Amino acid sequence: MLYTYAFIALYAKFNFFQRVESHRSIREGIFFGVVYLLVFFPVWELTQIRNAAAVAVVALAILEERKINSSFYFLFAVLLHNVSFLIVALWLVQRFFGSLKYPIVVGVALVVFLGLEYAPYYQQYAADVYKEDFKPLSLKNLFILFTFVYIQFCSQPLAKNLAYYSLALLLFYLAMGKMPAAAIRVADISLFFGLLALSLVHMRFSWLYKLLTIFVLGYVFTNISYLGEAPIINLDAISWAG
């Protein structure tokens, strides 16, 4: 079952880049592949596999221009993980409210912040053990915000579209501070869309921005995933055949 989820997650992301014909080149695929391997693979494909599959399918749903096809992908994503409901809501806001999407997202995030204690599964996701992981002023969040601003200067509509999801999810992350176990997952998805948008950007010094992203985020997340005091993946537990 886990291999099936992993196949869905990786194939959907591969298919995404195959279908972005007007923006695609080998460099974009290599950049996103490398940064995904360093940043997301240990967290998602090895520990949160349903989340990884759902987010990958959601990316295909956003790419679809036909409402029927988008609805099919969104339904499939929701069946994989309920975090997809949040992205479906953001898609509907963008689809039907266009220029008002950012004020609406800010307003809804404020409502979530004020009424979070009445949300389903509040007690389950408000576990004290995760409180130290909620860091509004973290390097990751600053990177997401700065990348969003940077992408607004490019001419690629799809990149700006994906950056909208990145910023909106970051706002929901900040609003969900009382549910840190759920909030940290939303922040990861925000970073995913930010990096996906960045991979499609073509500007004068975008290659330098992307190179610095690989080195900085790669270093930070390699330590978090493998080399830190409490790594996500314990390399010492891996036994090698003699």
Side-chain angles (χ1 to χ4, degrees), residues 93-143:
V93 168
Q94 184 187 49
R95 191 91 179 189
F96 295 104
F97 296 97
S99 60
L100 296 175
K101 60 186 178 183
Y102 288 112
I104 291 174
V105 168
V106 171
V108 174
L110 181 59
V111 171
V112 169
F113 174 75
L114 296 175
L116 194 62
E117 295 181 4
Y118 303 99
Y121 308 109
Y122 173 77
Q123 294 299 330
Q124 178 181 347
Y125 286 105
D128 292 340
V129 67
Y130 288 101
K131 284 187 177 179
E132 63 182 20
D133 294 323
F134 181 77
K135 300 176 181 178
L137 295 178
S138 66
L139 172 64
K140 177 170 66 176
N141 295 342
L142 292 175
F143 173 82

Side-chain angles (χ1 to χ4, degrees), residues 185-223:
R185 296 189 180 189
V186 174
D188 287 338
I189 302 173
S190 172
L191 180 61
F192 171 84
F193 278 108
L195 290 172
L196 193 58
L198 179 61
S199 69
L200 301 176
V201 169
H202 297 282
M203 289 195 288
R204 186 173 183 182
F205 294 106
S206 60
W207 64 270
L208 179 59
Y209 193 107
K210 294 176 183 179
L211 187 63
L212 290 174
T213 296
I214 290 175
F215 279 108
V216 174
L217 293 188
Y219 172 79
V220 171
F221 280 90
T222 297
N223 279 288

Side-chain angles (χ1 to χ4, degrees), residues 42-111:
V43 178
W44 282 357
E45 268 72 19
L46 299 181
T47 61
Q48 299 177 14
I49 184 59
R50 289 192 304 117
N51 190 42
V55 173
V57 174
V58 156
L60 287 177
I62 293 172
L63 187 62
E64 277 290 344
E65 295 183 357
R66 297 181 179 179
K67 293 181 182 180
I68 296 178
N69 292 346
S70 292
S71 300
F72 171 77
Y73 280 121
F74 276 128
L75 176 61
F76 185 35
V78 167
L79 293 175
L80 289 168
H81 199 288
N82 56 15
V83 73
S84 303
F85 281 114
L86 181 56
I87 304 174
V88 171
L90 294 175
W91 179 79
L92 290 173
V93 168
Q94 184 187 49
R95 191 91 179 189
F96 295 104
F97 296 97
S99 60
L100 296 175
K101 60 186 178 183
Y102 288 112
I104 291 174
V105 168
V106 171
V108 174
L110 181 59
V111 171

